[in-house]
Amino acid sequence: MEFKSKIKTIEWVDTYSKMVDQSVVPYEYKFVNITGGQEMFDAIRNMIVRGAPAIGIAGAHGVILYAQEGRDKPLSEFIPWLLDKAEYMKTSRPTAVNLMWAVDKQIDIIKNSKSDVKGIIEELKQNAIKLENEDIEINKKIGDYGAEVVPKGAAILTHCNAGALATVGYGTALGVVRSAYAKDNTIRVFADETRPRQQGARITTFELAMDGIPVTLITDGMCSYFMKKGMIDMVVVGADRIAANGDTANKIGTYTVAIAAKYHNIPFYIAAPLSTIDISIKSGDEIPIEERSHEEVTHINGKRICAEGINIINPGFDVTPNELITGIITEKGILRPDYNKSIADAFNKDSI
Ligand code: MRU
């Protein structure tokens, strides 16, 4: 089945990175071209591009942009300078490990290439294009594995946006929705609004509506109400970083959904590529949680919605403990508890 949303969210074009400007969706659906290294750092930090796999690709593109800026340096200067810039690119956002993963793939090339400056730049471009293509293939595999556990006519709740717009294309959690819908067009989606930045309302409903997949928008606090009424059959969300024991960081509010799902005996799945799993950390306690601008909470559409002089805390992500997760849907199949074992097995099958 062909979906209208099949355009690439982010792609390398000749000498620049072309991406959907997600900060203005759904008011506008436009592309921006990012042409410099610092410009890419800012695009990631300010969420022109967002979603773990998409910012991974953006980071890989950022390294190429810096490499192009340094092209006149002698090789002996170029390599340490570019390695520095690549490390800097990794600091643009802290939680989604796909960013570090993809930039590290570029770092491997910089460190191991036998080419001159021009050759290294070309290798970095080819690698980024390979990562882009792999992302879509991986998401389709995730989608197809996930579709196997979607009951006929299911209502699937999702939180935030783990869709085509959070990846190069097709999506992870929404990849599961797309693959399930291709087999059974009676399934439907409940999308949490996802305060404070409303990725569920702004982006998930936008891309599902574009593909004609039925979607009902609810506010974050409503999920347990609909679960109790028997109106939600399963939950599928994406992930920004998964620890070796399966603890999963995703958009703030995901943990609340997982607790409500457990209470109501509703399966709760994570859909994510293996590149989102950080086997270097034992548990979710070690996942760095981004603290975002207070204005995201105090203001809506530029207008203050609360009293002056109050305290604000705005963590961008929370960690869902592994015991609340029914399965982690990856490109190598669905990982089940005990996650320490199933994750280690998935990594040992072959290298990624
Ligand atoms: O702050 P964002 O919008 O980048 O957060 C995105 C999420 O939390 C997504 O659910 C996650 O990155 C998975 S994307 C396939």
Side-chain angles (χ1 to χ4, degrees):
M1 178 166 186
E2 282 289 306
F3 291 108
K4 280 198 189 127
S5 61
K6 72 183 168 84
I7 44 132
K8 279 181 155 185
T9 297
I10 175 164
E11 69 179 315
W12 184 260
V13 183
D14 197 17
T15 56
Y16 59 88
S17 175
K18 179 180 169 192
M19 61 175 73
V20 174
D21 180 350
Q22 298 197 48
S23 65
V24 294
V25 173
Y27 321 110
E28 278 182 73
Y29 187 45
K30 64 170 190 187
F31 287 87
V32 284
N33 298 334
I34 307 292
T35 57
Q38 182 62 46
E39 198 190 345
M40 181 60 90
F41 182 98
D42 295 339
I44 297 171
R45 176 154 287 182
N46 300 327
M47 296 172 68
I48 305 292
V49 58
R50 40 117 343 249
I55 65 174
I57 300 298
H61 288 180
V63 176
I64 314 172
L65 293 169
Y66 270 125
Q68 291 181 159
E69 287 165 22
R71 68 161 69 83
D72 293 334
K73 294 181 191 297
L75 186 64
S76 59
E77 229 180 88
F78 175 80
I79 288 178
W81 176 85
L82 187 56
L83 287 173
D84 244 34
K85 296 294 185 194
E87 289 301 330
Y88 171 65
M89 192 59 68
K90 288 199 265 180
T91 64
S92 50
R93 286 191 77 188
T95 304
V97 76
N98 306 64
L99 172 62
M100 296 71 186
W101 176 86
V103 172
D104 280 339
K105 296 264 177 210
Q106 298 289 55
I107 287 177
D108 284 347
I109 288 178
I110 303 166
K111 283 186 175 160
N112 299 320
S113 174
K114 302 275 172 278
S115 308
D116 58 7
V117 169
K118 203 167 156 227
I120 293 176
I121 296 174
E122 193 46 43
E123 285 175 39
L124 293 171
K125 286 184 191 177
Q126 290 317 317
N127 188 44
I129 292 166
K130 178 170 155 278
L131 294 178
E132 287 168 25
N133 293 332
E134 282 174 359
D135 181 74
I136 298 178
E137 283 166 32
I138 286 170
N139 293 341
K140 288 193 170 153
K141 284 187 189 157
I142 291 172
D144 292 346
Y145 281 120
E148 289 171 18
V149 292
V150 177
K152 183 151 179 45
I156 306 171
L157 176 75
T158 193
H159 189 78
C160 195
N161 173 264
L165 285 163
T167 60
V168 178
Y170 204 71
T172 54
L174 296 191
V176 173
V177 166
R178 287 194 167 87
S179 293
Y181 186 78
K183 293 202 305 196
D184 168 17
N185 68 5
T186 67
I187 66 142
R188 60 216 182 281
V189 175
F190 277 74
D192 276 349
E193 172 193 28
T194 319
R195 272 286 284 156
R197 286 188 71 107
Q198 293 151 325
Q199 292 93 327
R202 292 192 305 105
I203 304 175
T204 293
T205 66
F206 174 81
E207 66 167 87
L208 290 177
M210 191 191 286
D211 280 343
I213 299 175
V215 55
T216 303
L217 175 65
I218 62 174
T219 64
D220 297 348
M222 293 177 187
C223 76
S224 41
Y225 174 80
F226 288 113
M227 287 177 179
K228 182 152 194 256
K229 278 184 164 297
M231 289 171 69
I232 309 286
D233 299 299
M234 68 188 295
V235 179
V236 186
V237 297
D240 290 85
R241 194 185 294 224
I242 302 171
N245 71 347
D247 291 350
T248 296
N250 191 49
K251 181 53 54 195
I252 192 81
T254 304
Y255 180 27
T256 313
V257 176
I259 293 168
K262 183 79 169 182
Y263 183 79
H264 293 95
N265 256 323
I266 293 168
F268 177 95
Y269 287 94
I270 301 291
L274 291 183
S275 54
T276 304
I277 302 180
D278 183 352
I279 48 167
S280 75
I281 55 169
K282 286 200 179 77
S283 83
D285 294 341
E286 293 171 66
I287 300 177
I289 301 293
E290 181 176 19
E291 172 71 20
R292 295 200 54 91
S293 145
H294 293 177
E295 218 178 288
E296 290 181 353
V297 178
T298 56
H299 287 66
I300 291 182
N301 288 338
K303 203 168 170 186
R304 192 168 175 100
I305 54 151
C306 54
E308 299 284 349
I310 57 168
N311 297 324
I312 306 293
I313 314 178
N314 183 21
F317 301 90
D318 58 26
V319 176
T320 299
N322 58 14
E323 63 264 28
L324 300 182
I325 300 169
T326 310
I328 301 174
I329 307 165
T330 74
E331 68 272 33
K332 293 231 180 112
I334 303 182
L335 312 183
R336 304 278 184 182
D338 166 356
Y339 291 113
N340 275 312
K341 185 173 179 327
S342 56
I343 287 175
D345 286 351
F347 274 79
N348 288 335
K349 268 182 194 158
D350 55 60
S351 63
I352 53 167

